[in-house]
Amino acid sequence: TSEVYKGQLILSSLLIISGCGSNRGSSQADIEGNLQRGDAYQQQRQFRAAIIEAHNAIKTDEKDLRGHVLLASIYNDLGQGKFAIKQLDQVLGSKSVDYYFTLAKAYLLRHKYTSALNLLIETSDLQSSNALQYHLYLAEAYSGLSKFKEATAELNQVLSLEPQNLSAINSLAKID
């Protein structure tokens, strides 16, 4: 099944990464290159290569939030919210908007709708940074909690911003 494949992909990627040397210099250019390549691989759905690049960025500088967020985002794309949450839990210090959106998505994947809702509502910068994603995630959380009136209101917000948004249109059809 696809769940078994995803699990095997994550396991084999982790085994490959553990065999990689860590003699890389701690330069910002290395991190930037890892992040750019990792993002490109992720967009191309080449998850094994994307995971390796994210791990290399983290190895270069564990305190750089972006490598952790990239890796968690890849896990989310693979439907592995549990791994994404574990990865993000390792991050200390200040967090970015991308961090919070990635964590919210992981909560939604794990059906932790209350946690996702609380995170979205309590993190003030999210709505202003990406209103569409913010309202779509709120709608998914409300829907998961069977609060369909609130979910519909959030989806209507999305459609007021982007009238042809297919995610919102499809979600509204499922609610009705």
Side-chain angles (χ1 to χ4, degrees), residues 120-166:
L120 291 164
I121 290 171
E122 292 170 5
T123 310
S124 59
D125 295 346
L126 297 182
Q127 183 175 3
S128 61
S129 69
N130 188 337
L132 287 174
Q133 189 172 16
Y134 177 79
H135 291 293
L136 284 170
Y137 283 5
L138 275 178
E140 188 175 342
Y142 281 128
S143 185
L145 294 169
S146 299
K147 294 183 176 186
F148 300 114
K149 182 179 176 182
E150 291 88 344
T152 299
E154 294 300 331
L155 293 168
N156 286 329
Q157 272 294 108
V158 171
L159 293 174
S160 73
L161 297 168
E162 188 179 284
Q164 301 302 316
N165 187 290
L166 293 179

Side-chain angles (χ1 to χ4, degrees), residues 69-122:
V69 171
L70 175 61
L71 185 57
S73 175
I74 295 164
Y75 288 148
N76 281 344
D77 284 352
L78 291 168
Q80 301 296 321
K82 180 178 180 178
F83 288 110
I85 293 167
K86 282 184 177 182
Q87 186 63 43
L88 293 172
D89 281 347
Q90 297 176 31
V91 175
L92 303 174
S94 63
K95 315 290 191 290
S96 67
V97 168
D98 289 338
Y99 170 93
Y100 289 113
F101 274 126
T102 304
L103 183 57
K105 181 64 178 174
Y107 284 150
L108 293 170
L109 286 170
R110 299 285 297 156
H111 306 284
K112 295 184 174 201
Y113 302 115
T114 302
S115 295
L117 188 63
N118 290 338
L119 176 69
L120 291 164
I121 290 171
E122 292 170 5

Side-chain angles (χ1 to χ4, degrees), residues 2-74:
S2 76
E3 289 300 314
V4 171
Y5 172 75
K6 289 175 186 175
Q8 289 173 340
L9 178 64
I10 290 171
L11 180 61
S12 65
S13 297
L14 292 174
L15 290 173
I16 290 169
I17 291 162
S18 66
C20 294
S22 60
N23 296 331
R24 298 177 56 98
S26 293
S27 76
Q28 192 64 25
D30 285 342
I31 294 171
E32 294 301 328
N34 293 134
L35 294 172
Q36 288 174 359
R37 286 187 301 275
D39 186 53
Y41 287 137
Q42 181 184 19
Q43 289 177 18
Q44 296 166 8
R45 304 192 63 75
Q46 295 180 24
F47 296 118
R48 184 172 300 170
I51 288 170
I52 290 169
E53 293 295 344
H55 272 281
N56 287 339
I58 293 166
K59 269 197 247 181
T60 302
D61 185 357
E62 286 185 22
K63 294 179 183 175
D64 192 315
L65 173 69
R66 298 170 300 163
H68 295 279
V69 171
L70 175 61
L71 185 57
S73 175
I74 295 164

